[in-house]
Amino acid sequence: MEQTRTPRPAFGLDVFGLDDRMRLFGYVTADNRLAYLWVLRAFDAARANYHVLLHTSDVGAALSGLHDTHDECPDPADLELPRLLDALVEWGVLDRSQDGTRATTLAEYRNRHSVYQFTEAGFRAHRAVESVLAATMDDTTLSRLVFADLLADLAALASANAAGDAEDVYRKLNRLDRALADIAERAARFYHMLGDLSRTNDSRPETFLAHKDALLAHLRDFHDELQRYTPRLREAVHAVEATGLERLIEAAAEADERIFRTPAERLADWQRRWDGLRSWLAPPGSDQLSEADRLADATISAIGDVLALLRRVTEARRGGVSRESQLRHLAAWFTAVSSQEAAHALFDATFGLGGPRHVSVAHGDPEAIPTRQSWWDAPAVELSRTLVEAGRAPGQGNGRPARVERSSESRARLRQDQLARERRSAEAAAGLVGLALGDQPLDEAQTAVLLRMLDIALAARVSGRTAVALAAAAYGIRLTLTPAPGRFTAVPAAGGTLYLDGFVLSIDTADHTAARERELVGV
């Protein structure tokens, strides 16, 4: 029966220890995190002056000194120092103990006199936070001078291994490991900086143009040094292994002072470090690329990216016109226009968003629909959803545009409402025929029909010709306005009396609209 293997925790760090280590950074995400940060900075400043144990009053005095020199430091009078210190003790960043020497009376001795100091893990957590806050992301460079040191250390390592000097082997190998880790970290930060520069060149082109020469020279010098030292470093690695790789690893593990690591763990750790160094400088396979070769390829690619970025920035600024200057000129044009209509015209000409594009869409077969047919009776033109909602023509988006859903029930309801309104208007118009205008008032429907007919008739009159009769025909009736100087017609209507000065009003049946009237009444 196979037994479940329990994972072996590292020395002094089981599941509970891991949770305690993670809680060290609890103050970073707390609500009053800036106050916690400055309290820990007060402890750090006191520790630099060899003051380790601090009373609450000592913390307040240290914060007062920081507040005098740093404006962003909060005033200790506005902070609840006991509560902040207790929270830091709860997170494990500070350690609390009692100091009875401060008591001058028995009552004071009976009261708790707490003094605080950094825990070892808490101090490391604070230094880690400070290193992140003090990191300058723009100040990243590739160190080309480190290759000569690597070559010298490899030669010294070979000599120490041949002589059997275990301590010197440990020192040289440890130094080589730290140097390669520094090169890898610098390279990662540098190429990440180049990526950020390429993404932000539109907002900061002057910064890029001011440093482009230094950037290209730095990349070129680093690549030249890397190409010059790569074969020599590969030969130096082979020379070290020729002196005895197993003896090298055993000597480094023997001189290792990490007493909480077993000999087997130390051997495995130094074997892993040497494998990483060899893969970085001289991989075992002849056709396998080393990390140094990959770094050289990345440098060449970075030079090409910088030149491409320079080309884009130069072309954008050719003739003194960049995207920023174009937008500034456009904004100046908008502010300099003389009227609102001109501003709308400029907007339409610039962005092309003025007219509803879906109105101009033609039917697929224009010959199949008579031009005299009403929009209500003609078949609808299919529109894409993107054209109606976003104003984009079909094919401009990704994929096939969705079909616009049309509601036949809504169209039928609107059509019935329209026919009902025209039917009521036709019935009201029929009631006007033969009615002695002026004898009895008109109802609302008859008044609406009369006003609409008058509007049609008056709109057709010609300027300067006052002795011409005006007429309008609709809803199966015909309205005539005959000029009568000195006379007027009064028509009692819904809401008041209508006066027509200088005209005689008459209404009769229109023969050419009788069929339309019968159609509406019969629906």
Side-chain angles (χ1 to χ4, degrees), residues 449-459 479 481 498 500 505:
V449 172
L450 178 61
L451 293 177
R452 185 173 181 182
M453 301 278 293
L454 288 174
D455 183 60
I456 297 174
L458 295 175
L479 179 145
L481 292 175
L498 176 65
L500 300 175
L505 176 63

Side-chain angles (χ1 to χ4, degrees), residues 204-213 309-310 313-314 317:
R204 298 186 302 172
E206 291 81 7
T207 304
F208 171 73
L209 293 176
H211 299 90
K212 68 180 187 308
D213 295 333
L309 179 60
L310 176 62
V313 174
T314 305
R317 297 173 63 89

Side-chain angles (χ1 to χ4, degrees), residues 305-358:
D305 294 340
V306 172
L307 292 176
L309 179 60
L310 176 62
R311 188 182 307 110
R312 291 200 302 268
V313 174
T314 305
E315 290 177 355
R317 297 173 63 89
R318 183 173 298 172
V321 178
S322 62
R323 181 182 302 178
E324 180 182 1
S325 61
Q326 290 175 355
L327 293 176
R328 289 182 179 275
H329 280 80
L330 181 60
W333 290 346
F334 273 108
T335 57
V337 292
S338 58
S339 62
Q340 187 175 2
E341 290 76 10
H344 285 295
L346 179 60
F347 181 86
D348 293 339
T350 304
F351 301 103
L353 300 176
R357 302 180 181 179
H358 59 277

Side-chain angles (χ1 to χ4, degrees), residues 116-277:
Y116 304 87
Q117 64 175 334
F118 268 120
T119 62
E120 182 61 26
F123 179 72
R124 294 193 179 192
H126 172 65
R127 298 308 300 169
V129 173
E130 289 286 7
S131 64
V132 172
L133 295 178
T136 55
M137 302 303 178
D138 296 335
D139 188 14
T140 54
T141 56
L142 296 170
S143 178
R144 61 183 180 85
L145 302 178
V146 72
F147 298 121
D149 297 335
L150 288 176
L151 186 60
D153 289 339
L154 285 172
L157 178 62
S159 301
N161 192 34
D165 191 347
E167 294 183 358
D168 199 15
V169 168
Y170 170 76
R171 286 193 296 267
K172 299 302 181 184
L173 189 56
N174 194 24
R175 181 174 174 179
L176 284 169
D177 180 68
R178 290 199 305 267
L180 285 179
D182 181 70
I183 292 176
E185 183 179 359
R186 282 174 175 266
R189 287 188 297 170
F190 184 80
Y191 295 125
H192 182 70
M193 180 269 295
L194 290 181
D196 290 340
L197 183 63
S198 63
R199 288 188 292 269
T200 59
N201 70 89
D202 291 337
S203 59
R204 298 186 302 172
E206 291 81 7
T207 304
F208 171 73
L209 293 176
H211 299 90
K212 68 180 187 308
D213 295 333
L215 184 61
L216 290 173
H218 181 69
L219 286 170
R220 184 177 60 251
D221 293 342
F222 178 78
H223 182 263
D224 293 342
E225 290 294 308
L226 186 59
Q227 291 293 317
R228 186 161 67 96
Y229 276 96
T230 296
R232 301 169 64 181
L233 291 172
R234 185 180 297 109
E235 294 177 358
V237 170
H238 294 324
V240 171
E241 291 183 341
T243 61
L245 181 58
E246 293 183 1
R247 182 170 60 180
L248 175 73
I249 301 301
E250 291 176 357
E254 181 183 354
D256 194 344
E257 297 180 346
R258 292 177 292 178
I259 60 176
F260 298 117
R261 291 287 185 94
T262 63
E265 290 176 344
R266 292 198 295 267
L267 281 173
D269 182 58
W270 284 108
Q271 182 65 48
R272 177 188 59 79
R273 296 192 187 191
W274 178 258
D275 292 341
L277 186 147

